[in-house]
Amino acid sequence: MNIHEYQAKEILSGYDIAVPRGRVCLTADQVERAAKMMGGHCVVKAQIYAGGRGKAGGVKVVHHPEQAQELAKELFARKLVTPQTGPEGLRVRRILVEEAVEIAREFYLSITLDRGASRYILIASAEGGVEIEEVAAKTPDKIHKLTIDPLTGLRSYQARKIALALGLTGSLCEDCVELILSLYRACLEKDCALVEVNPLVVTKAGWLMAMDAKMSFDDNAIYRHREYPDMVDYSQLDTLEITAGKYDLAYIKLDGTIGCLVNGAGLAMATLDVLNECGGKPANFLDVGGGASREKVAEAFKIILQDPDVKGIFVNIFGGIMRCDVIAQGVIEAANEVHCPLPIVVRMDGSQVEEGKRLLTTSGLNVQCADNLGDGAQRIVKMLG
Amino acid sequence: MSILLNKDSKVLVQGITGRSGLFHARMCREYGTQIVAGVTPGKGGVHVEGIPVFNTVEEAVRYTQANVSMIFVPPPSAADAILEAADAGLELAVCITEGIPVRDMVPVKRILADHKMKLVGPNCPGLITPEESKVGIMPGYIHKKGKIGVVSRSGTLTYEAVKQLTDAGLGQSTCVGIGGDPIIGLNFIDCLKLFNDDPKTEAVFMIGEIGGSAEEEAAEWVKAHMKKPVAAFIAGVTAPPGRRMGHAGAIVTGGKGKAADKIATLRNCGVNVADSPTRMGEAMRQILEKGKS
């Protein structure tokens, strides 16, 4: 689960990490008022669930409140496309107005999971700013990494090595040690999948400040943070993806015409692969979960049919322990309930597969049964011509 | 022979009184698994379906000599359940539970390094040594006893692969679903090592997917150490690039994780990668025949 920069900064300031004074705004008029409060000279920052905003024009320094208002109008009216949003871009519904801070030096600092090591890893660099991935690729020695032993936690001396490697000395070095320890504490207590401060700056006035912050949470841990569901900005998510999320279905909209309903993420990906191989274009990725319960199949049908681009549906369920006649009944009930007018190809595997096929072919639906994965993909592609 | 599990394995089920725990305990027993005990704190002393239930794993082991655990404990207590199994001296725990927070699993993984117990999963379908024992939620009937080791990050896609192998006349020694979570117990390389040393396994089929770099590392290991032919499939060749936040992920993985890169690395390391999910069984047969000629 992602959150916005302003929300991440609120959390970090709760851990005694300094952030610029700022206000989040929902309208251009609010942006103008906020700019006045900051004294006119301020930074206007579009809030979207992705990085790379600066180069896309989503972050600008302005000098007058009117200028802030004009910029806000423009940002609210369009989608921001950055290297991290995908080509469709993201709508801007919230803007953060912050005081302009004079910067002396910029750093990069983040904590995330190192899957290879099965531990959290702290990443730091004195080359902070927008080109950090390039720095990592071209000059890896400028990236400092520290994998954290969960049993000892992050120790001050380890944080100090990082701070010194960033070139910080004296009291700034000790402030950075505190900041790094706070960041790790926030990462654990808030169940972060990522916490990234880029840039972390030394201001001209001489102290450390988190100028930008990104935070995302471990979806598996949301149950122990009651406040998280209310922090979601639904404007950043696809409407069908939101509905799917309510029913615990994994749905991703794609740009083709074949609606896909599959159980299990790996099999769902393989289904997209085989449809493409047969010359078909999938309209979505949809995983109803390994168990494929009747209720989830029904909800999945509804979601697929809400997509106007869908011209046919491919159901691929490897039931395993679940009986195929039960799955078939689920498909029939769901298709009838939503009055599915589109051609459907069903590939199922599991016990009672013949009975399942008989139920489907006598159901009166526009449905074909496939013998296996390849056969199913070919049939639906052929049916749609 | 087989790896990790055979007909003599004595299995206890942590979370046996829950709905799926009980259902799958029954399914595994029907398959032939020796289910000797259940563990649910607070329910010790009762029997479910003739299986004695204990309050702790330690107690269950003392009375039944169980050496394997199948875990169905819900996410908030699952990490604790894994550590309890390790502490009781089990040889293997298979954690089926989906949705355990990463913050809980990081210390578990670290602590397990000091125990002899091996962990499969979490968030996995489990493992099966066909016609001997099944500790997991996979359908038993698609499997057939044989000489192919199967290791997979996926659930239902593994069933698809196994069915194709069985249909192609290629039985399996043991099939291990290692799970798709960021932090798991046994990984691809751990399983490849076990298969490499198992005299009854003649070849291995590996099922991977986009994300992470586990497949690339496994490929390098195969090139350096594997004595047996390996075929593979990687799901997600046509998956669209996802949205992402920030740069840390890219810095950690160095930009790895795309299906095309994984496939290229595997092929460079001598693994026969199926070019379609419909030809997984065929890919296995090809490399076996190539070895014979």
Side-chain angles (χ1 to χ4, degrees), chain A residues 24-337:
Chain A
V24 63
C25 306
L26 302 172
T27 66
D29 288 346
Q30 286 178 2
V31 169
E32 187 201 12
R33 278 199 296 279
K36 280 178 184 162
M37 284 175 62
M38 304 299 158
H41 178 216
C42 60
V43 190
V44 173
K45 307 181 89 174
Q47 301 291 292
I48 57 169
Y49 281 177
R53 295 170 300 168
K55 281 190 177 169
V59 179
K60 278 185 181 156
V61 177
V62 296
H63 299 282
H64 302 286
E66 300 79 39
Q67 202 189 345
Q69 187 184 30
E70 283 310 306
L71 176 59
K73 277 184 189 160
E74 187 218 323
L75 285 172
F76 280 134
R78 70 182 178 103
K79 283 186 169 182
L80 269 188
V81 179
T82 85
Q84 297 187 13
T85 58
E88 67 281 2
L90 284 168
R91 221 164 253 302
V92 180
R93 283 287 167 266
R94 302 180 196 189
I95 287 176
L96 175 64
V97 180
E98 280 186 341
E99 61 175 326
V101 175
E102 293 203 89
I103 296 169
R105 296 159 73 185
E106 295 191 325
F107 308 101
Y108 174 92
L109 192 60
S110 69
I111 300 175
T112 190
L113 181 77
D114 179 351
R115 292 176 66 136
S118 299
R119 293 181 187 194
Y120 290 102
I121 183 171
L122 175 82
I123 303 167
S125 176
E127 310 278 317
V130 290
E131 308 291 355
I132 189 70
E133 281 180 49
E134 215 168 290
V135 173
K138 288 186 181 157
T139 48
D141 55 312
K142 289 185 177 166
I143 304 282
H144 310 285
K145 296 180 187 175
L146 173 69
T147 44
I148 302 164
D149 185 325
L151 299 189
T152 55
L154 182 58
R155 314 300 303 197
S156 296
Y157 78 90
Q158 296 171 310
R160 192 168 297 112
K161 277 190 201 167
I162 295 285
L164 290 169
L166 294 180
L168 294 170
T169 52
S171 67
L172 261 181
C173 175
E174 289 312 300
D175 288 349
C176 187
V177 169
E178 284 305 313
L179 187 145
I180 288 172
L181 296 178
S182 295
L183 202 66
Y184 179 58
R185 213 166 62 239
C187 176
L188 291 185
E189 288 176 4
K190 298 295 175 185
D191 277 301
C192 294
L194 165 75
V195 49
E196 183 174 87
V197 180
N198 184 32
L200 169 71
V201 304
V202 175
T203 64
K204 282 212 171 134
W207 59 77
L208 286 165
M209 195 179 249
M211 287 300 285
D212 194 359
K214 284 189 182 54
M215 202 178 261
S216 66
F217 302 130
D218 175 4
D219 291 327
N220 286 348
I222 290 172
Y223 75 89
R224 53 189 175 201
H225 300 275
R226 285 209 183 152
E227 69 279 21
Y228 287 180
D230 293 333
M231 293 171 79
V232 177
D233 176 1
Y234 288 102
S235 75
Q236 301 296 299
L237 308 171
D238 180 280
T239 44
L240 291 180
E241 287 171 20
I242 296 167
T243 318
K246 279 186 197 149
Y247 295 97
D248 207 14
L249 304 165
Y251 173 92
I252 298 166
K253 169 100 178 78
L254 303 172
D255 54 8
T257 55
I258 303 172
C260 297
L261 194 167
V262 189
N263 69 326
L267 189 60
M269 274 194 279
T271 304
L272 304 186
D273 294 344
V274 74
L275 282 171
N276 276 297
E277 185 192 325
C278 297
K281 287 273 168 275
N284 62 275
F285 166 98
L286 198 164
D287 168 17
V288 295
S293 73
R294 190 186 296 188
E295 296 74 27
K296 283 194 176 176
V297 171
E299 287 308 325
F301 251 95
K302 289 182 200 164
I303 288 163
I304 290 173
L305 284 171
Q306 278 176 44
D307 176 357
D309 300 332
V310 170
K311 300 286 182 276
I313 300 176
F314 183 28
V315 178
N316 181 18
I317 292 186
F318 208 119
I321 290 171
M322 216 165 155
R323 282 159 42 192
C324 288
D325 53 337
V326 176
I327 297 165
Q329 270 167 358
V331 170
I332 293 164
E333 275 170 30
N336 283 330
E337 194 188 327

Side-chain angles (χ1 to χ4, degrees), chain B residues 182-242:
Chain B
I183 296 184
I184 53 173
L186 296 187
N187 60 24
F188 279 121
I189 294 177
D190 297 324
C191 293
L192 287 167
K193 279 181 189 164
L194 291 169
F195 283 130
N196 208 21
D197 295 337
D198 174 31
K200 290 289 165 62
T201 297
E202 287 184 0
V204 175
F205 194 81
M206 202 176 117
I207 301 138
E209 55 189 48
I210 49 173
S213 57
E215 290 83 357
E216 284 90 333
E217 287 151 22
E220 297 296 340
W221 192 89
V222 166
K223 190 180 179 184
H225 306 283
M226 197 74 185
K227 297 175 289 195
K228 302 170 184 183
V230 180
F233 175 70
I234 303 293
V237 178
T238 59

Side-chain angles (χ1 to χ4, degrees), chain A residues 133 218 263 273 277 347 350, chain B residues 102 141 156 160 236 238 247 276:
Chain A
E133 281 180 49
D218 175 4
N263 69 326
D273 294 344
E277 185 192 325
R347 178 281 169 124
Chain B
V102 165
Y141 74 93
T156 49
E160 176 72 40
T238 59
H247 305 283
S276 160

Side-chain angles (χ1 to χ4, degrees), chain B:
Chain B
M1 276 266 290
S2 54
I3 65 165
L4 300 167
L5 186 70
N6 59 39
K7 61 182 184 334
D8 300 321
S9 302
K10 289 188 171 168
V11 179
L12 66 83
V13 181
Q14 287 174 264
I16 195 167
T17 52
R19 203 170 62 115
S20 35
L22 183 57
F23 176 78
H24 288 289
R26 197 188 296 140
M27 297 300 288
C28 290
R29 188 164 65 173
E30 279 173 21
Y31 190 78
T33 308
Q34 291 192 51
I35 304 283
V36 298
V39 173
T40 301
K43 301 232 169 125
V46 304
H47 282 71
V48 288
E49 311 236 335
I51 303 164
V53 178
F54 299 87
N55 282 319
T56 66
V57 176
E58 190 189 17
E59 209 184 352
V61 170
R62 193 160 64 226
Y63 284 97
T64 66
Q65 284 80 52
N67 60 350
V68 174
S69 175
M70 174 160 73
I71 300 175
F72 281 95
V73 173
S77 324
D80 199 55
I82 296 169
L83 291 179
E84 187 187 353
D87 201 34
L90 295 184
E91 288 162 27
L92 174 70
V94 181
C95 186
I96 309 296
T97 308
E98 180 181 352
I100 306 177
V102 165
R103 192 230 289 170
D104 297 359
M105 281 307 295
V106 168
V108 167
K109 177 84 179 173
R110 169 71 179 78
I111 293 166
L112 286 185
D114 299 333
H115 284 80
K116 66 171 176 142
M117 186 184 84
K118 293 186 168 75
L119 173 69
V120 172
N123 189 16
C124 74
L127 77 160
I128 181 169
T129 293
E131 294 162 38
E132 291 197 29
S133 188
K134 164 176 117 119
V135 176
I137 58 173
M138 68 289 278
Y141 74 93
I142 55 173
H143 299 81
K144 189 182 153 207
K145 197 177 184 67
K147 295 164 183 169
I148 310 292
V150 176
V151 55
S152 170
R153 255 168 88 178
S154 169
T156 49
L157 181 58
T158 317
Y159 311 163
E160 176 72 40
V162 167
K163 185 167 190 293
Q164 288 184 24
L165 290 173
T166 299
D167 288 349
L170 299 168
Q172 305 92 41
S173 54
T174 301
C175 304
V176 191
I178 58 175
D181 271 6
I183 296 184
I184 53 173
L186 296 187
N187 60 24
F188 279 121
I189 294 177
D190 297 324
C191 293
L192 287 167
K193 279 181 189 164
L194 291 169
F195 283 130
N196 208 21
D197 295 337
D198 174 31
K200 290 289 165 62
T201 297
E202 287 184 0
V204 175
F205 194 81
M206 202 176 117
I207 301 138
E209 55 189 48
I210 49 173
S213 57
E215 290 83 357
E216 284 90 333
E217 287 151 22
E220 297 296 340
W221 192 89
V222 166
K223 190 180 179 184
H225 306 283
M226 197 74 185
K227 297 175 289 195
K228 302 170 184 183
V230 180
F233 175 70
I234 303 293
V237 178
T238 59
R243 286 182 210 146
R244 64 193 178 95
M245 289 277 281
H247 305 283
I251 295 172
V252 174
T253 61
K256 282 181 192 163
K258 291 198 242 1
D261 300 340
K262 287 178 189 290
I263 291 169
T265 310
L266 284 161
R267 286 193 173 138
N268 283 336
C269 294
V271 175
N272 188 29
V273 184
D275 56 2
S276 160
T278 60
R279 287 189 285 277
M280 294 190 281
E282 200 180 305
M284 189 77 254
R285 203 174 47 197
Q286 272 174 359
I287 194 162
L288 281 170
E289 279 165 9
K290 206 174 131 199
K292 279 172 193 156
S293 63

